[in-house]
Every structure is written in C-alpha cells, then in structure tokens.
Amino acid sequence: MKHIPPVITIDGPSGSGKGTVSYLLAKALGWHLLDSGALYRVLAYAAQRAGVLENQSALLHLAETLEVQCGKDDQRKTARILLNDEDVTDAIRAEEVGKNASKIAVLEDVRLALIERQRAFRLSPGLVADGRDMGTTIFPDAPLKIYLTASPEERARRRYGQLLAKNVDVRLADLLKEIEARDQRDQKRTASPLKAAKDAILIDTTDLSIEEVMERIRAELKRAFNGAVDFQ
Ligand code: C5P
C-alpha cells in the first residue's frame, strides 16, 4: 500500500499564533512546513508588481505558474518564502499585500488553482500546514487538526507589538478595525470560509504563552498518533 505522509493542520485567524506554532511544530518534528497564507500573499504581491490585481484571467495564469518555495526561517522563526528564487519573506508581510491577499482569496477560481499546489507539500516524513481551510478543504483526512483562536483585541495587540518592534507607526484602534474587517471577509466568503473543521481541536490562545500552546498540542499529538509522534 502506498504510504501517505501524515499532516497536521493548524487553522485560525491572523494573530492567533498559528504562524509561530506551525513553525515550531514543523521544526521540532523535522517535518515540512506549508504557510498557505504566504501563497495567497505571494500571488497578491506578484499581481501587484505586474499590475494585474484587477485582471482575473492574468491573476489565474499567475496562480497556475508561480514558482514558489516554502522553507523555514530559523532566525525569524517563521516560514521562508521564495518567489522565483527571490526571498520575499519580508516583502509579502506588508499590510497592503495582506489586504490584497485577503481580497483575491475570495475568488473561487484562484482558490481552485492553488489546491493541488498546496497538496504537493505533503511529503515524507510529514507536513505541518498553516492556514484557514487546511483542515476543512485542503487536507480533510489529516489525523490531527488544530484550530487556534484569540480575541480580536489580543490579536490587534500582538500585531501592534510586532509593528512597534519594526518601528512602524500605527494606531492600535486602526489595527483592530483592520483585523475585524479581515475576519469578516474570511468568514463570510462562500469559497472555503474560515471555520474550524468539525473534528478540529479548538485552542483559545488569548491568555496562553506559545510554550503553553505547544504543550497542549503535544498532548493532542500523542493522542492522535498513539504515541508514535512526539517532540522535546
Ligand atoms: O495568514 P495570512 O495573514 O498570511 O493570510 C493572508 C490572507 O490569505 C488571509 O487574510 C486570507 O484571506 C487568505 N488565506 C486564505 N486561505 C488560506 C490562507 C490564507 O484564504 N488557507
């Protein structure tokens, strides 16, 4: 029988901690990492650069032909993203790219064009997949599905802290508004809306440290894989 590599899905809204948690988990297990949000961001970024954000057929062509790689950035403890061998890890984090990514993510054809590309990351010894619809649409057979949440206020505070550290001048109230608008777009769209899979484990990270979240996930991991998968 063909061996299908295992996958752990980590879904949730932005600021829930899933980027860091997914990186740490993939690193600890020695598994591959897919930051699916980065795929939408890279597509938005490439479309912005080519001036085709509003042109659906050009956008689709880009979605089908983009050369994207997703590795691990051990310094920043996130995914490292390469577009045609160019490191775009920082460039795709710009607020404008995030906003455009969330706009193109409502287009059904764009989402379809990215499905097989995402599934191709499922390689031995295993994959940690971070996103919005990893457990519901892309890897519905994943043996472990985690859904991370946190209050919008806490997510805005986390984002504010990250931007302050980068000397970016923003207002907390504006960030909160932006986060709420993005949540609305992600939850209300008809194509693969943001929601927990029925069999996902829900973890509210509002009052938890990253270490506490990792401990919770470790316990779930041992249960889901009958002790066969673990990390220190
Ligand atoms: O997670 P991140 O903020 O990088 O994702 C950028 C945008 O891409 C999200 O706001 C969401 O609209 C979209 N996205 C998605 N499905 C995914 C991952 C991200 O629609 N699996």
Side-chain angles (χ1 to χ4, degrees):
M1 214 176 77
K2 200 170 148 245
H3 171 70
I4 304 174
V7 51
I8 300 169
T9 59
I10 316 263
D11 288 305
S14 49
S16 58
K18 68 195 162 63
T20 307
V21 164
S22 300
Y23 165 85
L24 290 174
L25 193 57
K27 183 80 185 159
L29 293 172
W31 287 12
H32 298 276
L33 174 64
L34 165 62
D35 175 355
S36 62
L39 287 186
Y40 289 92
R41 284 174 182 270
V42 166
L43 181 57
Y45 178 70
Q48 249 170 260
R49 282 216 292 210
V52 297
L53 263 175
E54 308 292 335
N55 176 340
Q56 278 220 31
S57 63
L59 200 58
L60 262 188
H61 180 70
L62 264 183
E64 281 155 7
T65 54
L66 275 182
E67 280 291 332
V68 188
Q69 282 163 305
C70 180
K72 298 188 194 88
D73 186 327
D74 293 330
Q75 234 172 355
R76 285 175 278 194
K77 296 201 175 359
T78 58
R80 181 202 301 280
I81 308 298
L82 299 181
L83 166 63
N84 298 323
D85 293 329
E86 175 191 347
D87 190 331
V88 294
T89 312
D90 279 336
I92 61 167
R93 293 292 140 205
E95 291 297 309
E96 196 195 354
V97 178
K99 214 183 287 175
N100 287 331
S102 137
K103 283 184 188 155
I104 62 171
V106 302
L107 304 172
E108 185 125 33
D109 286 347
V110 166
R111 302 198 72 86
L112 284 175
L114 294 179
I115 288 184
E116 286 314 315
R117 188 180 277 274
Q118 294 174 84
R119 291 189 177 145
F121 280 89
R122 188 172 193 168
L123 297 170
S124 241
L127 173 69
V128 177
D130 158 358
R132 304 287 195 289
D133 60 345
M134 299 295 99
T136 51
T137 307
I138 308 297
F139 303 109
D141 63 331
L144 178 60
K145 300 178 184 177
I146 306 284
Y147 190 87
L148 297 183
T149 55
S151 68
E153 291 75 15
E154 174 61 18
R155 290 188 282 129
R157 269 194 295 277
R158 288 175 188 171
R159 185 76 189 128
Y160 186 65
Q162 284 167 356
L163 292 174
L164 270 194
K166 285 199 226 162
N167 287 320
V168 181
D169 186 22
V170 277
R171 288 181 44 218
L172 185 59
D174 291 341
L175 283 180
L176 180 58
K177 256 193 247 158
E178 180 55 41
I179 280 187
E180 286 173 336
R182 192 173 305 180
D183 282 359
Q184 282 285 322
R185 264 204 300 276
D186 289 349
Q187 287 162 3
K188 296 273 152 63
R189 68 173 178 234
T190 43
S192 251
L194 168 66
K195 68 167 194 277
K198 282 199 187 73
D199 49 349
I201 312 287
L202 260 64
I203 304 178
D204 185 338
T205 70
T206 306
D207 299 313
L208 297 182
S209 66
I210 289 289
E211 292 73 24
E212 288 168 324
V213 178
M214 291 301 286
E215 264 317 300
R216 284 281 312 275
I217 293 180
R218 187 172 174 216
E220 296 299 341
L221 196 64
K222 287 200 230 172
R223 186 194 48 77
F225 292 92
N226 294 319
V229 177
D230 194 6
F231 60 87
Q232 284 311 306

